[in-house]
Amino acid sequence: MLLSVEGVSKRFGGVVALHEVSLKIDKAELVGLLGLNGSGKSTLMDILSGSLAPDSGSINFAGYLTTGESPFKLARRGLSRVLQRSVLPADLSVFEQVAVGLWANSKGRSWETVYDWLDFVALLGKRESLPSQLSYYEQRKVELARALVSSPAIVLVDELTSGFSVDERVEARSLLASLKEKGIAALVIEHSLDVVESIVDRVVVLDAGKKIFDGSIVDYRREEMKDAAS
């Protein structure tokens, strides 16, 4: 098992953001994380990536107990993240933006790796461009390439397709689906099942900080139909 989360809880004052959430992700498994705004999705991502410590519970990643470890240590172990909002330094070229990601695991990596991932996201021809010269969609693809350039074991993807056109969503889904072939696992936050249903192996659904479903998309659709009929 690549990632194992057991009974993770988090409170902010009187607000329970997460309540005893558990989940497991295997190597090269693609999992969708669904839920309404305020359900705890981003809080869980913050905890998994080390930017927020849980109040209780444990996290095991790549054979190590990693509860409370820093983002730097987790990146070294092979965990990367695409944030919900675009964060690209204005004065760095596309090539430089992606090359920054090499720091996470420089062993065995080279500049050729940067070219490879820029080609993967179809931005090799814009490697000298600055963020101001890119569309929002292209900026998000730069961030995806930056998260992948260190060849992580798992990437946490927070609402990558938000604000994309229909065609852009189709291409983004294809990119995410390709991660499985490269041996990279992913936990993908989305509001809509329609965005991830063609690419993920399984979905985990949060509601008010609690996990209410963990299973196949077929089973989740069946549960939705039952709820609608009741």
Side-chain angles (χ1 to χ4, degrees):
M1 188 60 58
L2 178 64
L3 177 67
S4 178
V5 180
E6 297 291 341
V8 164
S9 296
K10 184 66 182 180
R11 297 177 67 97
F12 297 101
V15 178
V16 178
L18 292 173
H19 180 68
E20 297 183 356
V21 172
S22 299
L23 64 88
K24 297 181 186 297
I25 299 178
D26 212 342
K27 294 179 180 178
E29 186 179 21
L30 305 184
V31 178
L33 183 59
L34 307 178
L36 300 175
N37 285 333
S39 62
K41 302 187 305 299
S42 291
T43 299
L44 180 58
M45 287 286 208
D46 287 343
I47 289 173
L48 295 179
S49 62
S51 59
L52 188 66
D55 295 332
S56 60
S58 65
I59 301 169
N60 283 266
F61 172 61
Y64 297 91
L65 180 63
T66 57
T67 314
E69 280 196 348
S70 69
F72 178 80
K73 284 187 176 181
L74 288 167
R76 288 289 187 185
R77 295 195 192 280
L79 184 147
S80 64
R81 183 179 181 183
V82 178
L83 296 170
Q84 185 175 1
R85 286 176 170 73
S86 183
V87 182
L88 295 176
D91 57 344
L92 295 183
S93 69
V94 166
F95 184 90
E96 292 167 330
Q97 305 273 0
V98 176
V100 166
L102 287 174
W103 70 269
N105 185 6
S106 59
K107 184 178 180 181
R109 310 289 173 235
S110 67
W111 298 124
E112 287 302 318
T113 310
V114 180
Y115 287 109
D116 289 342
W117 285 107
L118 282 174
D119 186 47
F120 175 75
V121 298
L123 286 176
L124 191 57
K126 295 194 174 184
R127 59 188 178 276
E128 300 302 327
S129 300
L130 295 174
S132 60
Q133 298 170 303
L134 304 177
S135 67
Y136 174 72
Y137 174 57
E138 290 170 332
Q139 291 179 33
R140 294 296 277 164
K141 290 201 294 182
V142 170
E143 291 177 301
L144 179 61
R146 184 175 60 191
L148 296 171
V149 73
S150 61
S151 296
I154 188 170
V155 58
L156 311 179
V157 184
D158 199 339
E159 295 190 36
L160 176 69
T161 66
S162 179
F164 287 4
S165 69
V166 173
D167 289 342
E168 290 168 348
R169 285 191 175 197
V170 169
E171 184 181 352
R173 287 200 299 267
S174 178
L175 291 175
L176 293 174
S178 299
L179 297 181
K180 192 178 187 70
E181 301 169 7
K182 295 180 178 295
I184 299 174
L187 181 62
V188 183
I189 282 186
E190 282 294 343
H191 286 289
S192 173
L193 181 62
D194 294 337
V195 174
V196 296
E197 67 177 344
S198 62
I199 64 171
V200 300
D201 301 298
R202 184 163 50 89
V203 291
V204 173
V205 184
L206 299 181
D207 182 36
K210 297 180 181 180
K211 186 178 75 172
I212 60 171
F213 183 85
D214 186 342
S216 71
I217 289 175
V218 172
D219 287 342
Y220 183 59
R221 288 290 195 194
R222 188 177 295 119
E223 290 296 321
E224 283 189 319
M225 292 176 63
K226 286 181 182 178
D227 290 342
S230 62

